[in-house]
Every structure is written in structure tokens, then in C-alpha cells.
Amino acid sequence: MLVTGGAGFVGANFVRRALATRPGQRLTVLDALTYAGSRASLAEVADRITFVQGDVRDADLVDALVSDCDTVVHFAAESHVDNSLRDPAPFLRANVEGTFVLLEAVRRHDRRLHHVSTDEVFGSLPLHGGGLFTEESRYDPSSPYAATKAASDLLVRAWARSYGVRATLSNCANNYGPYQNVEKFLPRQITNVLRGQRPKLYGSGENVREWTHVDDHNDAVLLILEAGTVGETYLIGSGAQWSNRDLLELALSLLGRPPGEFDSVPDRPAHDLRYACDSSRLRKELGWRPRYPDLPEGLAGTIDWYRANEWWWGPQKAETEARYAALGR
């Protein structure tokens, strides 16, 4: 198995999960080791994988790695909305060009591909009144990040239809868990409190997200690889919808802090109101069930991990906060 982006948050957790559940699995990780990727995230399994530092846009390198595997799981992507608003160019290069290069290699060597994407490609749901994204939802991305992920999804679908590439796709709700970069919402707030700093809340905090533990996401990906129908898309989501304000107050409670102990900062542009996925296809066809359907249990374990692993997130913290300070957030 070749895992692109396997030193990033979701990818590194996938690598550990795949090795834990598939004894004897031979696994190669390709990662460019940008700021969001870290070999430290793979330290505990370093002796069980082959690690290659390189760019998914490097056609010769990707061709050689794809030729030597049976299955490709494609996590490699630039993924932070705020960064895409500040400078969209790296997102076009990594998410669109990188996916194209990978697809061409997979096509040449007839390899099985799973492409990992986001529910942000569908845009925003109304804040009130229900409704869920489905596999048939219209693409309506709001940010450069979401637009480039939408483009990569459409490339995969086109290569499957035009060239017979054996691909599946998944779009997942917001993930949380260990080894997530401190630029993201939950790790930023958790590490602020652990450092004695006040957490930050965008705008009014009414925006709602569906929160899925990274292990549940990766169990779904492994299941899709084993039993999913080639050419199909599967939505992944725990069903746990929380507003940003309620989520922050839950985190503060679990950290032993008062619920109102945070600062409000300006909202980001085009901030989508609500994301939520209908994961019934995944549940009915493949039998997937989240191990963490209730956010408080999963979040408590995540907080414990950040409390115990400042060696991993500490070096990221100052630079991350400097970038947010420049944005006024």
C-alpha cells in the first residue's frame, strides 16, 4: 500500500491504524513534509514502513512508487481554509496538479485507488431546519481549499469513467484526534488553555460542524478499500453536530475551565454555516459504525493526548499563533 500525505494528521493516523489491523501489511508513505507533515507523527511505526520524502507532483517518483504497490490511498493535500484564503497557489499545486499526477500513474499501472476528500466541497447547509449532504449533493465550494478539493474529486471521477481507473472516493466531516496540527480549531484551543492562554472563537460561534474522530474516519476508509464498490463515493460522519461555541465550551469544561473563558475574534470570510453528512450508504452497505459516536468521550481522550505530548505540538505553537495574530484572529 502507498499512502500519500502519510505524515499529516489523518494520514499518519491511517498508517498506524492500517498496521494495527492488518498484520504483515507492507506500507510506503510519500510525504513532502511541509509544515503540516511530521515524521515524528510516525515515530512509533518508523521501523515498519518505508518513508519517502517527496512531492506528489513529482511524476517520475510517483510513477516508481505506484508501480511497486497494489493500492494507493491519497491523503496528500493542503487543507487549511485560512491558509488558502491568504495564498491559494499551494492548494492548486498540491490538490489539483498532485492528484492529476497520481491519477496518471495509477492509470498506467492499473492500481486500486482511494481518494480522500472533504464535505466542504458541498458548500454550506442552512444553519437551521435540518438537511444533510449526500453523495448526490451539488458541489458548491466556498473557499480556495474546498474548490481545489472539489476539482480533485472531479478529476478522480473523470479518470474512473474515461479510463476505467479503479477508484473510490470518500468525503468526511471535520476530524479531530491526536497529531492534529495546532493551526486547526480544536488543537489550537486545547493548546492555548494548556499554555495558560485564552482560546479564540470566530465571530458568534454559531457555525455548526459534524465532528468525527480520526480513527473512525480511517476505519471507514479501510472498509471502503476492502468492500466498497469501485466508482462510488461514500460520505463519512459520526452524526455529532456541534456549534463552534458549544464545542469550545465543552473543551473548556473538560479542561477544568469556566465556559466563558475565551476571546471572540473576527470571523473568517465566507465562513460556511453548517456541515453534516448522511453516512447511511456507508452504514447500510458496508456496516460501518463509529466507535466514538459521542463527542465528549473522543474529545476527552484527545485532550489527554495533547496534555501528554507537548514535545510534539510545542514546536509548532509560536509560529502558528504569529500567523493568526497577523490575520487578527
Side-chain angles (χ1 to χ4, degrees):
M1 184 185 292
L2 170 65
V3 180
T4 71
F9 164 47
V10 185
N13 278 286
F14 176 84
V15 168
R16 289 191 298 275
R17 193 77 185 136
L19 292 172
T21 58
R22 283 151 179 74
Q25 173 73 63
R26 179 173 159 237
L27 198 150
T28 297
V29 169
L30 171 65
D31 200 288
L33 292 183
T34 62
Y35 77 95
S38 170
R39 292 194 69 168
S41 301
L42 297 168
E44 65 188 79
V45 296
D47 60 341
R48 300 175 60 194
I49 66 173
T50 299
F51 184 86
V52 178
Q53 182 175 352
D55 194 321
V56 73
R57 297 176 300 151
D58 184 335
D60 291 338
L61 174 61
V62 169
D63 187 80
L65 294 175
V66 170
S67 72
D68 193 38
C69 75
D70 304 299
T71 302
V72 181
V73 186
H74 183 35
F75 289 97
E78 292 283 346
S79 66
H80 191 49
V81 172
D82 284 327
N83 291 346
S84 79
L85 292 166
R86 186 175 68 250
D87 182 9
F91 290 76
L92 288 163
R93 292 192 291 265
N95 301 356
V96 181
E97 185 181 347
T99 300
F100 165 72
V101 169
L102 183 65
L103 281 167
E104 286 292 87
V106 167
R107 177 163 76 100
R108 279 191 295 272
H109 298 287
D110 188 26
R111 298 301 191 249
R112 173 75 167 87
L113 170 69
H114 182 74
H115 174 69
V116 178
S117 191
T118 170
D119 60 356
E120 294 191 41
V121 299
F122 303 120
S124 183
L125 291 165
L127 193 57
H128 305 291
L132 301 170
F133 296 135
T134 72
E135 287 82 0
E136 287 73 39
S137 291
R138 181 174 67 92
Y139 276 31
D140 188 24
S142 300
S143 68
Y145 159 59
T148 56
K149 286 300 291 183
S152 70
D153 290 7
L154 296 177
L155 287 173
V156 174
R157 291 181 178 184
W159 261 242
R161 293 176 185 175
S162 296
Y163 303 117
V165 167
R166 294 180 291 125
T168 46
L169 298 86
S170 59
N171 299 85
C172 189
N174 283 44
N175 277 207
Y176 71 97
Y179 295 102
Q180 189 172 26
N181 191 284
V182 296
E183 71 179 5
K184 298 300 179 108
F185 180 70
L186 271 174
R188 186 186 182 203
Q189 315 318 324
I190 293 167
T191 55
N192 274 357
V193 174
L194 294 177
R195 282 279 178 91
Q197 301 164 356
R198 289 173 67 88
K200 312 294 183 185
L201 181 68
Y202 283 151
S204 66
E206 292 183 357
N207 307 68
V208 171
R209 302 292 180 259
E210 179 181 21
W211 291 92
T212 301
H213 194 282
V214 67
D215 287 347
D216 287 330
H217 180 185
N218 286 325
D219 283 347
V221 170
L222 288 165
L223 190 58
I224 294 166
L225 278 172
E226 291 178 350
T229 301
V230 168
E232 292 294 331
T233 296
Y234 296 86
L235 265 57
I236 304 170
S238 67
Q241 296 184 50
W242 287 68
S243 74
N244 288 347
R245 176 183 286 273
D246 289 344
L247 179 63
L248 180 53
E249 290 180 348
L250 172 63
L252 285 166
S253 174
L254 293 170
L255 286 157
R257 306 303 303 167
E261 195 174 85
F262 61 84
D263 295 330
S264 294
V265 296
D267 208 351
R268 66 161 56 125
H271 195 180
D272 289 332
L273 293 175
R274 184 169 68 90
Y275 305 142
C277 293
D278 180 353
S279 58
S280 57
R281 173 181 289 177
L282 180 66
R283 294 170 187 254
K284 292 177 181 177
E285 294 183 12
L286 305 185
W288 176 82
R289 296 291 184 275
R291 292 188 300 151
Y292 299 96
D294 298 318
L295 181 62
E297 178 187 358
L299 183 55
T302 299
I303 288 171
D304 288 344
W305 187 88
Y306 280 94
R307 184 180 283 116
N309 289 279
E310 187 169 356
W311 67 270
W312 183 86
W313 57 265
Q316 308 168 10
K317 188 64 177 170
E319 183 178 351
T320 298
E321 291 304 320
R323 290 200 303 268
Y324 273 114
L327 294 170
R329 295 197 287 269

